């Protein structure tokens, strides 16, 4: 098992967005999360990415615990516990969030270098390998502004893979892409699941894409049985 969420609850004042929700994702699975606007998809993504705190529940990846419910509330761990959890998880944002003033390869090595995960030469070698995997070997030294939407998306994926996470999350990965680029990204995601055994969670409104690449489709109406 990769990500395990148990008894998750989250409310904003009296708006209960997520109510005692259980969720699991295993290596090789591609879970598609569909659902109407306002049903909590982004809230769920933000919670499992440690961008927002849960009220209740336990959240862990491969035994690395982000939060543990103590019977009353979700208790968050120390900074180093949170970091250990976060290194198990990669996130690709809807707007990619690439650093515009850094080249593609610098974008990839920035975070692991700051965390002193490995020395610079090792990280550059690893980054080159990942750029090759996503079909962008020739773009290592250019700036993000010179890339197409689909290419930026693939750089963001390569960057998310630098810490070798077991779970990858995508928020609306195809919303800014034409069908051909969406298909390319879809093929890449399928490969990451089948060959690298990543567990992948995708929030999307694109049902064509979801049905093409999903191994499971879930509805965000289950968050609070709305
Ligand atoms: N920071 C916040 N403060 C207060 N309420 C919030 C906050 N973030 C989200 N909400 C509320 O939580 C509910 C779920 O919002 P969320 O953004 O998770 O929905 P969503 O499923 O991602 O919607 P969409 O498909 O439109 O992106 C909504 O009722 C929203 O108003
Ligand atoms: Mg949303």
């Amino acid at each position: 098992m990769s990500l395990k969420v148990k008894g998750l609850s989250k409310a904003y004042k009296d708006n209960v967005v997520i109510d005692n929700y259980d969720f699991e994702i295993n290596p090789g699975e591609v879970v598609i999360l569909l659902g109407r606007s306002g049903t909590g998809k982004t809230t769920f993504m933000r919670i499992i990415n440690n961008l927002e705190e849960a009220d209740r529940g336990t959240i862990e990846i491969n035994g690395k615990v982000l939060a543990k419910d103590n019977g009353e509330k979700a208790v968050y761990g120390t900074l180093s516990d949170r970091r250990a959890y976060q290194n198990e998880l990669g996130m690709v944002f809807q707007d990619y969030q690439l650093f515009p003033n850094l080249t593609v390869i610098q974008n990839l090595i920035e975070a692991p270098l700051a965390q002193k995960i490995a020395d610079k030469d090792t990280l550059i070698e690893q980054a080159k390998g990942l750029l090759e995997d996503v079909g962008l070997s020739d773009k290592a030294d250019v700036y993000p502004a010179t890339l197409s939407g689909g290419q930026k998306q693939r750089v963001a994926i390569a960057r998310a893979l630098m810490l070798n996470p077991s779970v990858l999350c995508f928020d609306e990965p195809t919303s800014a892409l034409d069908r051909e680029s969406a298909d390319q990204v879809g093929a890449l995601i399928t490969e990451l699941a089948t060959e690298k055994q990543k567990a992948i969670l995708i929030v999307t409104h694109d049902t064509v894409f979801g049905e093409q690449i999903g191994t499971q489709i879930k509805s965000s109406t289950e968050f609070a049985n709305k």
Side-chain angles (χ1 to χ4, degrees):
M1 190 183 311
S2 298
L3 171 67
K4 188 174 172 187
V5 172
K6 198 154 173 37
L8 182 70
S9 296
K10 176 75 183 176
Y12 294 104
K13 300 220 171 91
D14 39 13
N15 178 12
V16 178
V17 180
I18 302 173
D19 183 19
N20 196 18
Y21 181 67
D22 295 342
F23 177 87
E24 276 180 20
I25 180 166
N26 297 299
E29 289 180 344
V30 180
V31 174
I32 307 293
L33 190 53
L34 294 171
R36 306 194 295 285
S37 182
T39 45
K41 302 180 298 294
T42 297
T43 302
F44 180 71
M45 276 282 205
R46 288 177 55 80
I47 290 172
I48 64 171
N49 279 280
N50 193 27
L51 295 167
E52 182 116 45
E53 289 199 351
D55 301 328
R56 296 289 310 264
T58 295
I59 304 166
E60 60 183 291
I61 300 177
N62 299 332
K64 311 268 169 55
V65 180
L66 173 65
K68 195 167 174 53
D69 197 273
N70 71 355
E72 274 181 9
K73 61 178 169 59
V75 179
Y76 279 74
T78 61
L79 200 61
S80 85
D81 289 340
R82 289 184 185 212
R83 176 155 287 173
Y85 170 92
Q86 270 185 292
N87 288 348
E88 290 283 334
L89 184 140
M91 172 81 198
V92 178
F93 294 93
Q94 185 167 8
D95 58 2
Y96 319 128
Q97 299 197 2
L98 300 176
F99 305 114
N101 56 328
L102 299 182
T103 64
V104 165
I105 197 138
Q106 286 167 343
N107 262 276
L108 264 64
I109 67 171
E110 164 79 16
L113 200 57
Q115 274 200 51
K116 300 190 167 56
I117 299 284
D119 65 55
K120 192 169 179 180
D121 289 345
T122 309
L123 291 172
I124 287 177
E125 278 316 299
Q126 192 189 337
K128 283 183 177 163
L130 286 169
L131 286 177
E132 196 175 324
D133 290 348
V134 301
L136 291 176
S137 291
D138 56 333
K139 300 290 185 188
D141 298 317
V142 309
Y143 287 89
T146 66
L147 300 174
S148 72
Q151 290 169 338
K152 283 182 195 158
Q153 173 80 273
R154 284 183 277 146
V155 172
I157 294 172
R159 185 175 65 176
L161 291 168
M162 280 296 288
L163 296 178
N164 195 24
S166 40
V167 182
L168 264 184
C169 298
F170 294 82
D171 192 7
E172 297 286 355
T174 62
S175 61
L177 304 182
D178 60 27
R179 188 45 59 199
E180 192 188 335
S181 306
D183 286 345
Q184 275 181 9
V185 167
L188 176 59
I189 290 174
T190 301
E191 202 178 292
L192 290 171
T194 54
E195 284 169 31
K196 304 222 159 136
Q197 287 295 294
K198 302 292 179 194
I200 295 175
L201 173 62
I202 303 176
V203 167
T204 183
H205 286 102
D206 184 344
T207 49
V208 174
F209 177 76
E211 276 167 20
Q212 265 171 6
I213 71 164
T215 60
Q216 278 182 61
I217 312 265
K218 284 190 172 275
S219 167
S220 56
T221 52
E222 290 169 28
F223 287 156
N225 287 313
K226 280 185 275 208

